[in-house]
Coordinates of all heavy atoms in Angstrom, one line a residue:
M1 N 0.7 1.4 -74.6 CA -0.1 2.6 -74.7 C -1.5 2.2 -75.3 O -2.5 2.9 -75.0 CB 0.6 3.6 -75.6 CG 0.0 5.0 -75.5 SD 0.1 5.6 -73.8 CE 0.3 7.3 -74.1
E2 N -1.6 1.2 -76.1 CA -2.9 0.8 -76.7 C -3.8 0.2 -75.6 O -5.0 0.1 -75.9 CB -2.7 -0.2 -77.8 CG -2.1 0.5 -79.0 CD -2.1 -0.4 -80.2 OE1 -3.1 -1.2 -80.4 OE2 -1.1 -0.4 -81.0
D3 N -3.3 -0.1 -74.4 CA -4.2 -0.7 -73.4 C -4.7 0.4 -72.4 O -5.1 0.0 -71.3 CB -3.4 -1.7 -72.6 CG -3.1 -2.9 -73.5 OD1 -3.8 -3.2 -74.5 OD2 -2.0 -3.6 -73.3
V4 N -4.8 1.6 -72.9 CA -5.4 2.7 -72.0 C -6.8 2.3 -71.7 O -7.6 2.0 -72.6 CB -5.2 4.0 -72.7 CG1 -6.0 5.1 -71.9 CG2 -3.8 4.4 -73.0
K5 N -7.2 2.5 -70.5 CA -8.6 2.2 -70.1 C -9.4 3.5 -70.2 O -9.2 4.4 -69.5 CB -8.6 1.7 -68.7 CG -10.0 1.5 -68.1 CD -10.2 0.1 -67.6 CE -11.6 -0.1 -67.0 NZ -12.7 0.1 -67.9
A6 N -10.4 3.4 -71.1 CA -11.2 4.6 -71.3 C -12.4 4.6 -70.3 O -12.9 3.5 -69.9 CB -11.8 4.6 -72.7
D7 N -12.8 5.7 -69.8 CA -13.9 5.9 -68.9 C -15.2 5.8 -69.8 O -16.3 5.4 -69.2 CB -13.9 7.2 -68.2 CG -12.7 7.3 -67.3 OD1 -12.6 6.5 -66.3 OD2 -11.8 8.1 -67.5
R8 N -15.1 6.1 -71.0 CA -16.3 6.1 -71.9 C -15.8 5.8 -73.3 O -14.8 6.3 -73.8 CB -16.9 7.5 -71.9 CG -18.2 7.7 -72.7 CD -18.8 9.0 -72.4 NE -20.0 9.2 -73.2 CZ -20.8 10.3 -73.0 NH1 -20.6 11.1 -72.1 NH2 -21.9 10.5 -73.8
V9 N -16.6 4.9 -74.0 CA -16.3 4.6 -75.4 C -17.5 5.0 -76.3 O -18.6 4.7 -75.9 CB -16.0 3.1 -75.5 CG1 -15.9 2.7 -77.0 CG2 -14.8 2.6 -74.7
I10 N -17.1 5.7 -77.3 CA -18.1 6.1 -78.3 C -17.9 5.3 -79.6 O -16.9 5.4 -80.2 CB -18.0 7.6 -78.6 CG1 -18.2 8.5 -77.4 CG2 -19.0 8.0 -79.7 CD1 -17.7 9.9 -77.5
D11 N -18.8 4.5 -79.9 CA -18.7 3.7 -81.1 C -19.4 4.4 -82.2 O -20.6 4.4 -82.4 CB -19.4 2.3 -80.9 CG -19.2 1.4 -82.1 OD1 -18.6 1.8 -83.1 OD2 -19.5 0.2 -82.0
A12 N -18.6 5.1 -83.0 CA -19.1 5.9 -84.1 C -18.8 5.3 -85.5 O -18.8 5.9 -86.5 CB -18.6 7.3 -84.1
R13 N -18.5 4.0 -85.4 CA -18.2 3.3 -86.7 C -19.4 3.3 -87.6 O -20.5 3.2 -87.1 CB -17.8 1.9 -86.4 CG -16.4 1.8 -85.7 CD -16.0 0.4 -85.4 NE -16.9 -0.1 -84.3 CZ -16.8 -1.3 -83.7 NH1 -15.9 -2.2 -84.2 NH2 -17.7 -1.7 -82.8
G14 N -19.2 3.6 -88.9 CA -20.3 3.7 -89.8 C -20.8 5.1 -90.0 O -21.5 5.5 -90.9
S15 N -20.3 6.0 -89.1 CA -20.6 7.5 -89.2 C -19.4 8.2 -89.8 O -18.3 7.8 -89.7 CB -20.9 8.0 -87.8 OG -21.1 9.4 -87.8
Y16 N -19.7 9.3 -90.6 CA -18.7 10.0 -91.2 C -18.5 11.4 -90.6 O -19.4 11.9 -90.1 CB -19.0 10.1 -92.7 CG -19.0 8.8 -93.4 CD1 -20.2 8.1 -93.6 CD2 -17.8 8.2 -93.8 CE1 -20.2 6.8 -94.1 CE2 -17.8 6.9 -94.4 CZ -19.0 6.2 -94.6 OH -19.0 5.0 -95.1
C17 N -17.3 11.9 -90.7 CA -16.9 13.2 -90.2 C -17.9 14.2 -90.8 O -18.1 14.2 -91.9 CB -15.5 13.5 -90.4 SG -14.5 13.6 -88.9
P18 N -18.4 15.1 -89.9 CA -18.0 15.4 -88.6 C -18.7 14.6 -87.5 O -18.6 14.9 -86.3 CB -18.2 16.9 -88.4 CG -19.5 17.1 -89.2 CD -19.3 16.1 -90.4
G19 N -19.5 13.6 -87.8 CA -20.3 12.8 -86.9 C -19.5 12.4 -85.6 O -19.8 12.7 -84.5
P20 N -18.4 11.6 -85.9 CA -17.6 11.2 -84.7 C -17.0 12.3 -83.9 O -17.0 12.3 -82.6 CB -16.4 10.4 -85.3 CG -17.0 9.9 -86.6 CD -17.9 11.0 -87.1
L21 N -16.6 13.4 -84.5 CA -16.1 14.6 -83.8 C -17.2 15.2 -83.0 O -17.0 15.6 -81.8 CB -15.5 15.6 -84.8 CG -15.1 16.9 -84.1 CD1 -14.0 16.7 -83.0 CD2 -14.5 17.8 -85.2
M22 N -18.4 15.3 -83.5 CA -19.5 15.9 -82.8 C -19.9 15.1 -81.6 O -20.2 15.6 -80.5 CB -20.7 16.1 -83.7 CG -20.5 17.0 -84.9 SD -19.7 18.6 -84.5 CE -21.1 19.4 -83.7
E23 N -19.8 13.7 -81.7 CA -20.1 12.9 -80.6 C -19.0 13.0 -79.5 O -19.3 13.0 -78.3 CB -20.1 11.4 -81.1 CG -21.3 11.2 -82.0 CD -22.0 9.9 -81.8 OE1 -21.9 9.4 -80.7 OE2 -22.8 9.5 -82.7
L24 N -17.8 13.2 -79.9 CA -16.7 13.5 -78.9 C -17.0 14.8 -78.2 O -16.8 14.8 -77.0 CB -15.3 13.5 -79.6 CG -14.2 13.9 -78.7 CD1 -14.0 12.9 -77.5 CD2 -12.9 14.1 -79.5
I25 N -17.3 15.8 -78.9 CA -17.5 17.1 -78.3 C -18.7 17.0 -77.3 O -18.6 17.6 -76.2 CB -17.8 18.2 -79.4 CG1 -16.6 18.5 -80.2 CG2 -18.3 19.5 -78.8 CD1 -16.8 19.3 -81.4
K26 N -19.7 16.3 -77.6 CA -20.8 16.1 -76.7 C -20.4 15.4 -75.4 O -20.7 15.8 -74.3 CB -21.9 15.3 -77.4 CG -23.1 15.1 -76.5 CD -24.2 14.2 -77.3 CE -25.3 13.8 -76.4 NZ -26.0 12.7 -76.8
A27 N -19.5 14.4 -75.6 CA -19.0 13.6 -74.5 C -18.1 14.4 -73.6 O -18.2 14.3 -72.4 CB -18.3 12.3 -75.0
I28 N -17.3 15.2 -74.2 CA -16.4 16.1 -73.5 C -17.2 17.0 -72.6 O -16.8 17.3 -71.4 CB -15.5 16.9 -74.4 CG1 -14.4 16.0 -75.1 CG2 -14.8 18.1 -73.7 CD1 -13.2 15.8 -74.3
K29 N -18.3 17.6 -73.1 CA -19.1 18.5 -72.3 C -19.8 17.8 -71.1 O -20.0 18.3 -70.1 CB -20.2 19.1 -73.2 CG -19.7 20.1 -74.2 CD -20.8 20.7 -75.0 CE -20.2 21.7 -76.0 NZ -21.3 22.1 -77.0
E30 N -20.1 16.5 -71.3 CA -20.8 15.7 -70.3 C -19.9 15.2 -69.2 O -20.3 14.9 -68.1 CB -21.6 14.6 -70.9 CG -22.7 15.1 -71.8 CD -23.4 13.9 -72.6 OE1 -22.9 12.8 -72.6 OE2 -24.4 14.2 -73.3
E31 N -18.6 14.9 -69.5 CA -17.7 14.2 -68.6 C -17.0 15.2 -67.7 O -16.8 16.3 -68.1 CB -16.7 13.3 -69.4 CG -17.4 12.1 -70.1 CD -18.0 11.1 -69.2 OE1 -17.6 11.0 -68.0 OE2 -18.8 10.3 -69.7
D32 N -16.5 14.6 -66.6 CA -15.7 15.4 -65.7 C -14.2 15.5 -66.2 O -13.8 14.7 -66.9 CB -15.7 14.8 -64.3 CG -17.1 14.8 -63.7 OD1 -17.8 15.7 -63.9 OD2 -17.4 13.8 -63.0
V33 N -13.5 16.6 -65.7 CA -12.1 16.7 -66.0 C -11.3 15.5 -65.6 O -11.6 14.9 -64.5 CB -11.5 18.0 -65.3 CG1 -10.0 18.1 -65.5 CG2 -12.2 19.2 -65.9
G34 N -10.4 15.0 -66.4 CA -9.6 13.9 -66.1 C -10.1 12.6 -66.7 O -9.4 11.6 -66.7
K35 N -11.3 12.6 -67.2 CA -11.9 11.4 -67.8 C -11.3 11.1 -69.2 O -11.0 12.1 -69.9 CB -13.4 11.5 -67.9 CG -14.2 11.6 -66.6 CD -14.1 10.3 -65.9 CE -15.0 10.4 -64.6 NZ -15.0 9.1 -63.9
V36 N -11.2 9.9 -69.5 CA -10.6 9.4 -70.8 C -11.8 8.9 -71.6 O -12.6 8.1 -71.2 CB -9.6 8.3 -70.6 CG1 -9.1 7.8 -71.9 CG2 -8.4 8.9 -69.7
I37 N -11.8 9.5 -72.8 CA -12.9 9.1 -73.8 C -12.2 8.5 -75.0 O -11.3 9.1 -75.5 CB -13.7 10.4 -74.2 CG1 -14.3 11.0 -72.9 CG2 -14.8 10.0 -75.2 CD1 -14.8 12.4 -73.1
E38 N -12.8 7.4 -75.5 CA -12.3 6.8 -76.7 C -13.3 6.8 -77.7 O -14.5 6.4 -77.5 CB -11.9 5.3 -76.3 CG -11.3 4.5 -77.4 CD -10.7 3.2 -76.9 OE1 -10.2 3.1 -75.8 OE2 -10.9 2.2 -77.6
V39 N -12.9 7.2 -78.9 CA -13.9 7.3 -80.1 C -13.4 6.2 -81.1 O -12.3 6.1 -81.4 CB -13.8 8.7 -80.8 CG1 -14.8 8.7 -81.9 CG2 -14.2 9.8 -79.8
W40 N -14.4 5.4 -81.5 CA -14.1 4.4 -82.5 C -14.7 5.0 -83.8 O -15.9 5.3 -83.8 CB -14.8 3.1 -82.2 CG -14.2 2.4 -81.0 CD1 -13.2 2.7 -80.2 CD2 -14.7 1.2 -80.4 NE1 -13.0 1.8 -79.2 CE2 -13.9 0.9 -79.3 CE3 -15.8 0.3 -80.7 CZ2 -14.2 -0.3 -78.5 CZ3 -16.0 -0.8 -79.9 CH2 -15.2 -1.1 -78.8
S41 N -13.9 5.1 -84.8 CA -14.4 5.6 -86.1 C -13.9 4.8 -87.3 O -12.7 4.5 -87.3 CB -14.0 7.1 -86.2 OG -14.4 7.6 -87.5
S42 N -14.7 4.5 -88.2 CA -14.3 3.8 -89.4 C -14.0 4.9 -90.5 O -13.6 4.5 -91.6 CB -15.4 2.8 -89.9 OG -16.6 3.5 -90.0
D43 N -14.2 6.1 -90.2 CA -13.9 7.2 -91.2 C -12.5 7.7 -91.0 O -12.1 8.2 -89.9 CB -14.9 8.4 -91.0 CG -14.7 9.5 -92.0 OD1 -13.8 9.3 -92.9 OD2 -15.4 10.5 -91.8
E44 N -11.6 7.4 -92.0 CA -10.2 7.8 -91.9 C -10.0 9.2 -91.5 O -9.0 9.5 -90.8 CB -9.5 7.4 -93.2 CG -8.0 7.5 -93.1 CD -7.3 7.0 -94.3 OE1 -8.0 6.5 -95.2 OE2 -6.1 7.1 -94.4
S45 N -10.8 10.1 -92.0 CA -10.6 11.5 -91.7 C -10.7 11.9 -90.2 O -10.2 12.8 -89.8 CB -11.5 12.4 -92.6 OG -12.8 12.2 -92.3
S46 N -11.4 11.0 -89.5 CA -11.5 11.2 -88.0 C -10.1 11.1 -87.4 O -9.9 11.8 -86.4 CB -12.4 10.2 -87.4 OG -13.8 10.4 -87.8
A47 N -9.3 10.3 -87.9 CA -8.0 10.1 -87.3 C -7.1 11.3 -87.5 O -6.1 11.5 -86.8 CB -7.3 8.9 -88.0
K48 N -7.5 12.2 -88.3 CA -6.8 13.5 -88.5 C -7.6 14.7 -87.9 O -7.0 15.5 -87.2 CB -6.6 13.8 -90.0 CG -5.9 15.0 -90.4 CD -5.7 15.1 -91.9 CE -5.5 16.5 -92.3 NZ -6.7 17.1 -92.8
D49 N -8.9 14.7 -88.1 CA -9.7 15.8 -87.7 C -9.8 15.9 -86.2 O -9.8 16.9 -85.6 CB -11.1 15.7 -88.3 CG -11.1 15.9 -89.8 OD1 -10.0 16.4 -90.3 OD2 -12.1 15.6 -90.4
I50 N -10.0 14.7 -85.5 CA -10.2 14.7 -84.1 C -9.0 15.2 -83.3 O -9.1 16.0 -82.5 CB -10.7 13.3 -83.6 CG1 -12.2 13.2 -84.0 CG2 -10.6 13.2 -82.1 CD1 -12.9 11.9 -83.7
P51 N -7.8 14.7 -83.7 CA -6.6 15.2 -83.0 C -6.4 16.7 -83.2 O -5.9 17.4 -82.3 CB -5.4 14.4 -83.7 CG -6.1 13.1 -84.0 CD -7.5 13.5 -84.5
E52 N -6.7 17.2 -84.4 CA -6.6 18.7 -84.6 C -7.5 19.4 -83.7 O -7.2 20.4 -83.1 CB -6.9 19.0 -86.1 CG -5.8 18.6 -87.0 CD -6.2 18.9 -88.5 OE1 -7.2 19.4 -88.7 OE2 -5.3 18.5 -89.3
W53 N -8.8 18.9 -83.5 CA -9.7 19.6 -82.6 C -9.2 19.5 -81.2 O -9.3 20.5 -80.4 CB -11.1 19.0 -82.8 CG -12.1 19.6 -81.8 CD1 -12.8 20.8 -82.0 CD2 -12.4 19.2 -80.5 NE1 -13.5 21.1 -80.9 CE2 -13.3 20.1 -80.0 CE3 -12.0 18.1 -79.7 CZ2 -13.8 20.0 -78.7 CZ3 -12.5 18.0 -78.5 CH2 -13.4 18.9 -77.9
V54 N -8.8 18.3 -80.8 CA -8.3 18.1 -79.4 C -7.2 19.1 -79.1 O -7.2 19.7 -78.0 CB -7.8 16.7 -79.2 CG1 -7.1 16.5 -77.9 CG2 -9.0 15.7 -79.3
K55 N -6.3 19.3 -80.0 CA -5.2 20.3 -79.8 C -5.7 21.7 -79.7 O -5.3 22.4 -78.8 CB -4.2 20.2 -80.9 CG -3.0 21.1 -80.8 CD -2.0 20.9 -81.9 CE -0.8 21.8 -81.7 NZ 0.1 21.7 -82.9
K56 N -6.6 22.0 -80.6 CA -7.2 23.4 -80.6 C -8.0 23.6 -79.3 O -8.0 24.7 -78.8 CB -8.1 23.5 -81.8 CG -8.4 25.0 -82.1 CD -9.3 25.1 -83.4 CE -8.6 24.6 -84.6 NZ -9.3 24.7 -85.8
A57 N -8.7 22.6 -78.8 CA -9.6 22.8 -77.7 C -8.8 22.7 -76.4 O -9.3 23.0 -75.3 CB -10.7 21.7 -77.7
G58 N -7.5 22.2 -76.4 CA -6.7 22.2 -75.2 C -6.8 21.0 -74.4 O -6.4 20.9 -73.2
H59 N -7.3 19.9 -75.0 CA -7.4 18.6 -74.2 C -6.1 17.8 -74.6 O -5.3 18.2 -75.4 CB -8.7 17.9 -74.6 CG -9.9 18.7 -74.1 ND1 -10.2 18.8 -72.8 CD2 -10.8 19.3 -74.9 CE1 -11.3 19.6 -72.8 NE2 -11.7 19.9 -74.0
E60 N -6.0 16.6 -74.0 CA -4.8 15.8 -74.3 C -5.2 14.6 -75.2 O -6.1 13.8 -74.9 CB -4.3 15.2 -72.9 CG -3.1 14.3 -73.1 CD -2.7 13.7 -71.8 OE1 -3.1 14.2 -70.7 OE2 -1.9 12.8 -71.8
L61 N -4.4 14.5 -76.3 CA -4.6 13.3 -77.1 C -3.7 12.2 -76.6 O -2.4 12.4 -76.6 CB -4.2 13.7 -78.6 CG -4.3 12.5 -79.6 CD1 -5.7 12.1 -79.8 CD2 -3.6 12.9 -80.9
I62 N -4.3 11.2 -76.1 CA -3.5 10.1 -75.6 C -2.9 9.2 -76.8 O -1.8 8.8 -76.8 CB -4.3 9.2 -74.7 CG1 -4.6 10.0 -73.4 CG2 -3.5 7.9 -74.3 CD1 -5.5 9.4 -72.4
G63 N -3.7 9.1 -77.8 CA -3.2 8.4 -79.0 C -4.3 8.1 -80.0 O -5.5 8.1 -79.8
V64 N -3.8 7.7 -81.2 CA -4.6 7.3 -82.3 C -4.1 5.9 -82.7 O -3.0 5.8 -83.1 CB -4.6 8.2 -83.5 CG1 -5.4 7.7 -84.7 CG2 -5.0 9.6 -83.1
F65 N -5.0 4.9 -82.6 CA -4.6 3.5 -82.8 C -5.4 2.9 -83.9 O -6.6 3.0 -83.9 CB -4.7 2.7 -81.5 CG -4.0 3.4 -80.3 CD1 -4.8 4.0 -79.4 CD2 -2.7 3.4 -80.2 CE1 -4.2 4.6 -78.3 CE2 -2.1 4.0 -79.1 CZ -2.9 4.6 -78.2
E66 N -4.8 2.3 -84.9 CA -5.5 1.6 -85.9 C -5.9 0.2 -85.4 O -5.0 -0.5 -84.9 CB -4.7 1.5 -87.2 CG -5.5 1.1 -88.4 CD -4.8 1.4 -89.7 OE1 -3.7 1.9 -89.7 OE2 -5.3 0.9 -90.7
A67 N -7.1 -0.1 -85.5 CA -7.6 -1.4 -85.1 C -8.0 -2.2 -86.3 O -7.6 -1.9 -87.4 CB -8.8 -1.2 -84.1
D68 N -8.9 -3.1 -86.2 CA -9.3 -4.0 -87.3 C -10.4 -3.3 -88.2 O -11.6 -3.5 -88.0 CB -9.9 -5.3 -86.7 CG -10.2 -6.3 -87.8 OD1 -9.6 -6.2 -88.9 OD2 -11.0 -7.2 -87.5
G69 N -9.9 -2.4 -89.1 CA -10.8 -1.7 -90.0 C -11.4 -0.4 -89.4 O -12.3 0.2 -90.0
Y70 N -10.9 0.1 -88.3 CA -11.3 1.3 -87.7 C -10.2 1.9 -86.9 O -9.2 1.3 -86.7 CB -12.6 1.2 -86.9 CG -12.5 0.3 -85.7 CD1 -12.3 0.9 -84.4 CD2 -12.6 -1.1 -85.7 CE1 -12.2 0.1 -83.3 CE2 -12.5 -1.8 -84.6 CZ -12.3 -1.2 -83.4 OH -12.2 -2.0 -82.2
W71 N -10.4 3.2 -86.4 CA -9.4 3.9 -85.6 C -10.0 4.1 -84.2 O -11.2 4.3 -84.0 CB -9.1 5.2 -86.2 CG -8.2 5.1 -87.4 CD1 -6.8 5.2 -87.4 CD2 -8.6 4.8 -88.7 NE1 -6.4 4.9 -88.7 CE2 -7.4 4.7 -89.5 CE3 -9.8 4.6 -89.3 CZ2 -7.4 4.4 -90.9 CZ3 -9.8 4.3 -90.7 CH2 -8.7 4.2 -91.4
R72 N -9.1 3.9 -83.2 CA -9.4 4.2 -81.8 C -8.7 5.5 -81.5 O -7.5 5.6 -81.5 CB -9.0 3.1 -80.9 CG -9.7 1.8 -81.2 CD -9.1 0.6 -80.4 NE -8.8 1.0 -79.0 CZ -7.6 0.9 -78.4 NH1 -6.6 0.4 -79.0 NH2 -7.4 1.3 -77.2
I73 N -9.4 6.5 -81.2 CA -8.8 7.8 -80.9 C -9.1 8.1 -79.4 O -10.3 8.2 -79.0 CB -9.4 9.0 -81.8 CG1 -9.2 8.6 -83.2 CG2 -8.8 10.3 -81.4 CD1 -10.4 8.9 -84.1
V74 N -8.1 8.2 -78.6 CA -8.2 8.3 -77.2 C -7.8 9.7 -76.7 O -6.8 10.2 -77.0 CB -7.3 7.2 -76.5 CG1 -7.6 7.2 -75.0 CG2 -7.6 5.8 -77.1
V75 N -8.8 10.3 -75.9 CA -8.6 11.7 -75.5 C -8.9 11.8 -74.0 O -9.8 11.2 -73.5 CB -9.7 12.6 -76.3 CG1 -9.6 14.0 -75.8 CG2 -9.5 12.4 -77.8
K76 N -8.1 12.7 -73.4 CA -8.3 12.9 -72.0 C -8.8 14.4 -71.8 O -8.2 15.3 -72.3 CB -7.0 12.8 -71.2 CG -7.2 13.0 -69.7 CD -5.9 12.7 -69.0 CE -6.0 12.7 -67.5 NZ -4.8 12.4 -66.8
K77 N -9.9 14.5 -71.1 CA -10.5 15.9 -70.9 C -9.6 16.6 -69.8 O -9.4 16.0 -68.7 CB -11.9 15.8 -70.4 CG -12.5 17.2 -70.1 CD -14.0 17.1 -69.8 CE -14.5 18.5 -69.5 NZ -16.0 18.4 -69.3
T78 N -9.1 17.7 -70.1 CA -8.1 18.4 -69.2 C -8.6 19.7 -68.6 O -8.0 20.3 -67.8 CB -6.8 18.7 -70.0 OG1 -7.1 19.5 -71.1 CG2 -6.1 17.4 -70.4
K79 N -9.8 20.1 -69.0 CA -10.3 21.4 -68.5 C -11.8 21.4 -68.5 O -12.5 20.6 -69.2 CB -9.7 22.6 -69.1 CG -10.0 22.7 -70.6 CD -9.4 23.9 -71.2 CE -9.7 24.0 -72.7 NZ -9.3 25.1 -73.3

């Protein structure tokens, strides 16, 4: 599952919430339905806040993966 190929990667490492979430929201608006977007965040709260927003917004959370000092949050736009 960690080898999911993202259509777009947002490197928000060094930014703090809600920065990574705001970047994801912007990308969701720009991308087509079915696209997979991956957010890299070094802010631990992103690993909790982004999945909550994804659920509320009705998109699909593919997964949250801990990498080397940051989190990879993978989301599929569903509508």
Side-chain angles (χ1 to χ4, degrees):
M1 196 60 151
E2 289 191 36
D3 292 332
V4 174
K5 173 127 176 60
D7 296 297
R8 181 171 176 173
V9 175
I10 299 167
D11 186 353
R13 290 176 292 181
S15 176
Y16 294 95
C17 248
L21 174 59
M22 298 311 288
E23 296 223 19
L24 172 63
I25 292 170
K26 180 181 173 203
I28 288 274
K29 288 178 181 173
E30 293 172 354
E31 294 293 342
D32 295 326
V33 171
K35 295 291 184 178
V36 175
I37 303 164
E38 183 172 325
V39 180
W40 295 355
S41 177
S42 54
D43 183 3
E44 187 173 358
S45 62
S46 294
K48 181 176 154 260
D49 294 347
I50 289 177
E52 286 177 3
W53 178 83
V54 168
K55 183 178 179 184
K56 196 179 297 183
H59 297 291
E60 179 184 347
L61 178 68
I62 294 176
V64 178
F65 310 104
E66 192 167 355
D68 188 20
Y70 65 98
W71 284 265
R72 296 175 43 235
I73 304 142
V74 184
V75 177
K76 183 175 186 179
K77 179 174 179 173
T78 58
K79 59 181 183 176

